[in-house]
Amino acid sequence: MLDAVGPAEVFALATVGLRGRGYRLLVASPDGESVRSDSGLRLEVDAGLSDVDDPVDTLIVAGGFGFDAATTPELLDAVGSLARRARRVCSVCSGAFLLAAAGLLAGRSATTHWLVCGELARRYPEITVEPDRIFVRDGDVYTSAGVTAGIDLALALVEADHGTEVARSVARGLVVFLQRPGGQSQFSARLDHGVTADSPLRPVLDAITADPAADHSVPRLAERAHMSERHLGRLFGEQTGTTPARFVERVRVEAARDLLERSALPVEGVSQRSGFRSDETMRRAFLRVLGVAPSDYRDRFQSAHPSPEVR
């Protein structure tokens, strides 16, 4: 529901601020009937897709858990027809899959919810998927990350149409960032390397994740894997898509995230427990991986009742 309602609220507030000179919203479903969302709430619509005859300024395709079942030839034809008459085309969350299936993302950069970025890249190798972006603009096509990222996208559209002050006023009204800091990696689930159990890398990766603070230098990892450093690096690239050093850094960031969220340890203690040589090393790693500093991450995500027992 929020995929659709979030952007709608942005455009509605902008229109109020512009004294009615902003946007006219039209909500359409494939058959013109109301739609029951994933949460069970029902959304009334104004028209069926085939009934929309006028040119569309901004076409926004919402996502949801049922995006695969919803992707019918009829829906793709309707989306393609509307897109050809639109000034710009957008998707929220897994709505990117509908744009991709309609051929609207071929040769473009795009993003979607972090949970299905890998799936989008596998299904559509002609798309450059950017998994850490809140939203991506490629020409007149915009895609956004999951759920609330549709609000970020809509604010950017309002800013492009009516200027920063109007967009900032809308953001204040919604009590959200005009431009939220960091990418969507800060909201993703814990690291999942996805390496099969029979891979020679599996024991190495398991050892890194089991004890992030241990010595995981490349020579030590190669020794543990009984292979040369060069061969280790090649396997890492093939099976994890990254280097040994970057993988270790990511695991340590994940470990530090967990401690920042659920413990009362000072930042200095978190860096030591997570395997970073210093607080500054951890800060640089957080900025590189998550786009936010450790202290900012804790401010946003620490439990209301952090445990003093975690040591």
Side-chain angles (χ1 to χ4, degrees):
M1 180 65 83
L2 198 53
D3 286 14
V5 174
E9 286 291 331
V10 171
F11 295 127
L13 274 180
T15 301
V16 170
L18 292 164
R19 299 180 181 178
R21 297 179 293 104
Y23 302 89
R24 181 172 67 88
L25 302 178
L26 186 146
V27 181
S29 67
D31 57 6
E33 298 295 325
S34 63
V35 178
R36 184 177 293 280
S37 69
D38 297 326
S39 64
L41 298 176
R42 188 170 290 280
L43 180 67
E44 294 295 330
V45 306
D46 301 302
L49 290 173
S50 61
D51 299 324
V52 182
D53 296 322
D54 296 332
V56 177
D57 179 82
T58 304
L59 172 65
I60 300 181
V61 178
F65 294 125
F67 68 88
D68 267 333
T71 308
T72 63
E74 293 77 18
L75 177 58
L76 295 179
D77 287 344
V79 168
S81 176
L82 288 170
R84 287 190 291 273
R85 290 180 274 138
R87 177 168 69 96
R88 58 193 175 194
V89 178
C90 314
S91 66
V92 180
C93 196
S94 56
F97 284 82
L98 273 71
L99 297 190
L104 298 170
L105 297 182
R108 296 184 184 271
S109 295
T111 193
T112 185
H113 194 294
W114 60 264
L115 192 62
V116 289
C117 276
E119 182 64 22
L120 183 66
R122 282 190 291 273
R123 290 193 195 182
Y124 303 99
E126 70 277 14
I127 300 173
T128 301
V129 178
E130 301 191 30
D132 194 38
R133 297 285 294 279
I134 298 297
F135 67 86
V136 171
R137 177 185 180 182
D138 190 324
D140 57 1
V141 178
Y142 299 71
T143 52
S144 79
V147 199
T148 60
I151 295 174
D152 299 79
L153 171 59
L155 284 168
L157 298 177
V158 169
E159 184 175 22
D161 294 342
H162 300 289
T164 302
E165 286 308 310
V166 173
R168 182 177 290 118
S169 177
V170 173
R172 285 198 206 100
L174 292 174
V175 198
V176 297
F177 289 110
L178 176 57
Q179 294 180 327
R180 81 169 84 183
Q184 64 171 326
S185 290
Q186 60 187 302
F187 306 104
S188 66
R190 293 293 178 254
L191 192 67
D192 177 13
H193 51 65
V195 173
T196 59
D198 59 354
S199 166
L201 274 188
R202 184 59 181 267
V204 178
L205 303 185
D206 288 346
I208 295 170
T209 55
D211 187 6
D215 177 8
H216 298 306
S217 61
V218 171
R220 183 70 185 93
L221 294 177
E223 179 185 348
R224 186 179 295 139
H226 306 291
M227 61 181 69
S228 68
E229 295 178 25
R230 183 176 180 180
H231 185 49
L232 178 76
R234 183 177 63 79
L235 281 182
F236 258 87
E238 291 174 353
Q239 297 186 23
T240 72
T242 189
T243 66
R246 288 297 185 210
F247 183 86
V248 171
E249 177 184 73
R250 182 62 187 267
V251 169
R252 287 173 174 166
V253 167
E254 294 292 325
R257 285 174 60 168
D258 183 63
L259 289 170
L260 290 169
E261 289 173 14
R262 66 187 181 90
S263 81
L265 279 172
V267 171
E268 295 81 4
V270 170
S271 64
Q272 294 171 8
R273 283 282 304 275
S274 305
F276 291 104
R277 293 191 302 273
S278 66
D279 302 343
E280 178 60 22
T281 301
M282 183 172 77
R283 190 186 72 84
R284 290 198 301 267
F286 262 66
L287 291 172
R288 188 161 43 243
V289 175
L290 303 180
V292 293
S295 56
D296 292 332
Y297 184 88
R298 168 168 271 174
D299 287 344
R300 292 176 205 170
F301 296 109
Q302 186 178 45
S303 166
H305 304 287
S307 172
E309 303 301 321
V310 177
R311 291 289 184 266

